[in-house]
Amino acid sequence: MDYTTYFQNHRESHLNELEELLSIPSISALSEHKSDVGKAAEWIADALRRAGMESVEIHPTEGHPIVYAEHLHAPGKPTVLVYGHYDVQPVDPLELWETPPFEPSIRDGKLYARGATDDKGQVFLHIKAVEAILKQEQKLPVNIKFCIEGEEEVTSPNLPGFLKANKEKLAADAVLISDTALLEPGKPAICIGLRGLCSLEVTVGTANTDLHSGTYGGGVSNSLHALVSLLASLHDEQGRVAVAGFYEGVHELTAAMREEFSKQQFNEDKLKADLGLDTLYGEEGYSFVERTGARPTLELNGVYGGFQGEGSKTVIPKEAHAKITCRLVGDQDPQDMLDKIERHLRNHLQPGAKLKIEQLEKARAFSCDSTNPMLQKAADAYEKVYGTRALFTLDGGSIPIVEQLSFVLSAPAVMMGFGLPDENLHAPNEHFNLENFDKGLLTIVEYLKSL
Amino acid sequence: MDYTTYFQNHRESHLNELEELLSIPSISALSEHKSDVGKAAEWIADALRRAGMESVEIHPTEGHPIVYAEHLHAPGKPTVLVYGHYDVQPVDPLELWETPPFEPSIRDGKLYARGATDDKGQVFLHIKAVEAILKQEQKLPVNIKFCIEGEEEVTSPNLPGFLKANKEKLAADAVLISDTALLEPGKPAICIGLRGLCSLEVTVGTANTDLHSGTYGGGVSNSLHALVSLLASLHDEQGRVAVAGFYEGVHELTAAMREEFSKQQFNEDKLKADLGLDTLYGEEGYSFVERTGARPTLELNGVYGGFQGEGSKTVIPKEAHAKITCRLVGDQDPQDMLDKIERHLRNHLQPGAKLKIEQLEKARAFSCDSTNPMLQKAADAYEKVYGTRALFTLDGGSIPIVEQLSFVLSAPAVMMGFGLPDENLHAPNEHFNLENFDKGLLTIVEYLKSL
């Protein structure tokens, strides 16, 4: 039977299987979920075995395990390495979820659950595409390897070591990754660039104990005052980052790139309406697509200190905290950036306050060449299924391991995304549009058969 | 026997009783502790009955109950109304307590527990002083009434109504209150002024959902950026409050007041050492005692938004929060002040952000005349027990009900405090120095007998 019919016939059982995977709370950032992350690895390995993949193994690491599998029975044909991740982001604030994050629920043609689109749902498409070809044709048109990790949401600390130690085993002509998004429903995109990332945690301390704001107020430093004034100094009034040297290494946009961006016909008014915003906000002189694809950022992801309960509490808190991440582009170096930010913070600290800075993740920006045939054939596959050729785009997010995969394996990264930009990845009510679930399966089959 | 011997003989049983009271987590600000607040009221009523007080009653209110008792068998003698509170502040951050806040523990002559000094320990002194006189002499030298409430830490919403409705019943020649502190060990003080208070809660909102900082970062407002820039605008670089008109109604310090303050010989170096601070911080041109006693403040008590867990999370949070209190002096009007702050916040909000402001508590500053004989006799009583005459001081804290008590009952407020300034009231590891527990009992007996 044709693949459209095959996937229609198996749709219910496929969705049931995916819901089983989405029910596992495999949050890699929270140590209390370590065993759940392990369960998700087992689930992926079992699914690969059921699909007909061979040499399936769960490779333990110092953190969460990596699942490997292969099917190498197409001599003379290219080898494709499918990369993805089965770990997910934390779920707070839990109260904003319409249905619990680990109790998958389908509403209006969308599957709601943490990890639905990022990235369990998209990894699942590759497993089922391979299974479909093997069931229908008893062989695969290419050699295929899977490398599915459990630490992508904590910037893959153990995968680079695994890649280097298993370079031969993982060797491939292309790394196939589905962890990005279409531009909008019906408008497919192949991501050829990702922003880099660096992150840090800042603690401002004042007295050695919390103090009564009546007895001491007005006479001693308040850690929250010191922190907010420090954090406010990181941006100027136009929203540009005020850290000295922040924009070094950024490549200014060429006319050609701006032209490529404009093809997306991105609708800023629709975005505003969708997000309930009166106005977008960012660097002067750039469109939303340019700001998020080609410009660096410094974002506060969390700020906290003092009393957060019901009512009020007259306290001067002894310490206050901030979590910060930067998105990097071009040749910006993550370590250099962290050092510049640290210098800025030390120079702008209020008298009487102490500063503790912890540098966390570091990943460079990534880009690849859209003229490579492995990428061009991906655009063709989209065209056959969606009726529209995929545009080559830059994505504002970071998948730090993509640069590593492409560099270590000397292979292009083919980022065929099947998510949508408004699917709340990393936020409450994450979901996956089932139209792209259906088309994604067909596009992957189409791509593998075209190679 | 003399009172010193009496209190020595009863010390162990008194401390056991107080520890029982301190074990009740009567946190008035948190609704889940409502029944505990009720239990503490019952405990106080029982203790007053055991002490020999009459007409003991627990008066229910819309919030937490008020405990009343009286002993009116000294015709021709003055009537003293003892006011205090049995509710306590919240206890977070819990992990900073050396022993659990509601498991009282004595170390180095100090009794550690939430409420030890503010105000259960001090209320307890009055109950035991009255009990001692009745046991020793079978009568009291004055008429005494008790009015002990359970909502002081949430600015006494129901006591003013109770006062007005029971003006006759509560009528007194002086209101006796122990909810303040000595200047330092061995240096007693009678507080003749308290700062007022107003408080508000601020929420800054941006998009209608949390967003991924990769996909959206640099292109939309971040509620945390908007909040920290807004909060930073509330103070200038010299630490003065930058809200227009903030200092209206403040009385500039006279030379006489500065002279009175200087008698305290307050040791700023010791304070710095105690708090682990290199430098104090506040308005230029004022000492610590002046800053905290006679100057207004605007303090951030809590700031929070976004991710606070372990590791990092690349999120742009949809909303961020701040809790703010001001301490007021002189003729500053709390409602006017809240309106000024609200105006400032609305004028300084970043484009693309929305603001929600909730005005909370409001209380004017209070002061009374130190030449009143009821106050002078209190200073004498301290001198007899401590060997040092009490200084008349201004306290930086707020007991909003003091102004109400004094105003409604047309009686001076005699604020005989037995706490110490470093006893961590409103903070982790609150405690009560037992030297002042012992001397407090004797001072109260001395005072009542002198009237």
Side-chain angles (χ1 to χ4, degrees), chain A residues 201-211 221-227 304-308 315-322 354 356, chain B residues 93 95-96 301-303:
Chain A
E201 196 164 333
V202 177
T203 300
V204 170
T206 47
N208 52 20
T209 182
D210 284 2
L211 296 170
S221 288
N222 179 325
S223 63
L224 286 171
H225 295 190
L227 182 69
Y304 53 105
F307 185 63
Q308 303 188 19
V315 67
I316 300 178
K318 69 189 278 266
E319 59 183 31
H321 311 267
K354 296 160 210 124
K356 203 174 80 191
Chain B
E95 68 276 14
L96 298 183
N301 307 117
V303 174

Side-chain angles (χ1 to χ4, degrees), chain A residues 78 80 173-177 180 188-193 366-383 388-393 402 406 411-417 443 447 450-451:
Chain A
V80 171
D173 298 294
V175 183
L176 181 56
I177 307 170
T180 49
I190 296 169
C191 174
I192 56 165
F366 168 73
S367 64
C368 72
D369 178 8
S370 63
T371 63
N372 185 299
M374 299 298 278
L375 284 150
Q376 288 294 326
K377 284 187 178 166
D380 296 341
Y382 273 114
E383 192 164 8
T388 314
R389 196 172 167 80
L391 284 175
F392 292 105
T393 61
V402 170
S406 186
V414 181
M415 284 190 268
M416 299 178 91
T443 306
Y447 179 55
S450 77
L451 292 177

Side-chain angles (χ1 to χ4, degrees), chain A residues 92 195 208 210 213-214 216 222 225 274-275 299-301 303 305 307 309 311 313-315 323 327 361 421 426-427, chain B residues 92 195 208 213-214 216 222 225 274-275 299-301 303 305 307 309 311-315 323 327 421 426-427:
Chain A
D92 59 288
R195 291 197 283 191
N208 52 20
D210 284 2
S213 77
Y216 295 92
N222 179 325
H225 295 190
D274 287 348
L275 300 182
E299 295 282 350
L300 303 175
N301 308 116
V303 174
F307 185 63
K313 184 180 176 194
T314 48
V315 67
K323 288 175 185 278
R327 298 288 169 167
E361 301 126 311
H426 295 209
Chain B
D92 59 289
R195 292 196 282 191
N208 53 19
S213 77
Y216 295 92
N222 179 324
H225 295 191
D274 288 348
L275 299 183
E299 295 282 349
L300 303 176
N301 307 117
V303 174
F307 185 62
S312 79
K313 185 181 174 194
T314 48
V315 67
K323 288 175 185 277
R327 297 288 170 169
H426 295 208

Side-chain angles (χ1 to χ4, degrees), chain A residues 29-32 89-93 96 114 118 153-154 195 197 199 201 206-222 224-225 227-229 231-232 235 271 273-283 288 291-292 295-318 323 325 327 350-354 360-361 395-398 421-429, chain B residues 29-32 89-93 96 114 118 153-154 195 197 199 201 206-222 224-225 227-229 231-232 235 271 273-283 288 291-292 295-318 323 325 327 350-354 360-361 395-398 421-429:
Chain A
L30 302 178
S31 46
E32 67 262 36
Q89 280 274 320
V91 296
D92 59 288
L96 298 184
R114 169 59 85 225
D118 177 18
E153 299 295 3
V154 291
R195 291 197 283 191
L197 181 83
S199 63
E201 196 164 333
T206 47
N208 52 20
T209 182
D210 284 2
L211 296 170
H212 187 294
S213 77
T215 313
Y216 295 92
V220 296
S221 288
N222 179 325
L224 286 171
H225 295 190
L227 182 69
V228 300
S229 106
L231 297 177
H235 289 87
L271 178 68
D274 287 348
L275 300 182
L277 291 170
D278 296 331
T279 176
L280 298 179
Y281 185 77
E283 266 184 281
F288 178 80
R291 285 169 173 167
T292 54
R295 300 295 300 172
T297 67
L298 186 158
E299 295 282 350
L300 303 175
N301 308 116
V303 174
Y304 53 105
F307 185 63
Q308 303 188 19
E310 190 186 340
S312 80
K313 184 180 176 194
T314 48
V315 67
I316 300 178
K318 69 189 278 266
K323 288 175 185 278
T325 52
R327 298 288 169 167
Q350 181 176 298
K354 296 160 210 124
L360 302 170
E361 301 126 311
D395 191 289
S398 308
D422 62 355
E423 290 182 332
N424 289 2
L425 54 170
H426 295 209
N429 305 311
Chain B
L30 301 178
S31 47
E32 67 262 35
Q89 280 275 318
V91 296
D92 59 289
L96 298 183
R114 169 59 84 228
D118 178 20
E153 299 294 2
V154 290
R195 292 196 282 191
L197 180 83
S199 62
E201 195 164 335
T206 46
N208 53 19
T209 182
D210 284 3
L211 295 171
H212 187 293
S213 77
T215 312
Y216 295 92
V220 297
S221 288
N222 179 324
L224 286 169
H225 295 191
L227 183 69
V228 300
S229 107
L231 296 177
H235 290 86
L271 178 68
D274 288 348
L275 299 183
L277 291 169
D278 297 331
T279 175
L280 297 178
Y281 185 78
E283 265 185 281
F288 178 81
R291 284 169 174 168
T292 54
R295 301 294 301 173
T297 68
L298 186 158
E299 295 282 349
L300 303 176
N301 307 117
V303 174
Y304 53 105
F307 185 62
Q308 303 187 19
E310 189 186 339
S312 79
K313 185 181 174 194
T314 48
V315 67
I316 301 177
K318 69 190 276 268
K323 288 175 185 277
T325 53
R327 297 288 170 169
Q350 180 175 298
K354 297 160 210 122
L360 302 169
E361 300 124 313
D395 191 287
S398 308
D422 63 354
E423 290 182 332
N424 289 4
L425 55 168
H426 295 208
N429 304 312

Side-chain angles (χ1 to χ4, degrees), chain A residues 23-35:
Chain A
S23 302
I24 306 170
S26 51
I27 304 170
S28 50
L30 302 178
S31 46
E32 67 262 36
H33 285 286
K34 192 168 170 56
S35 75

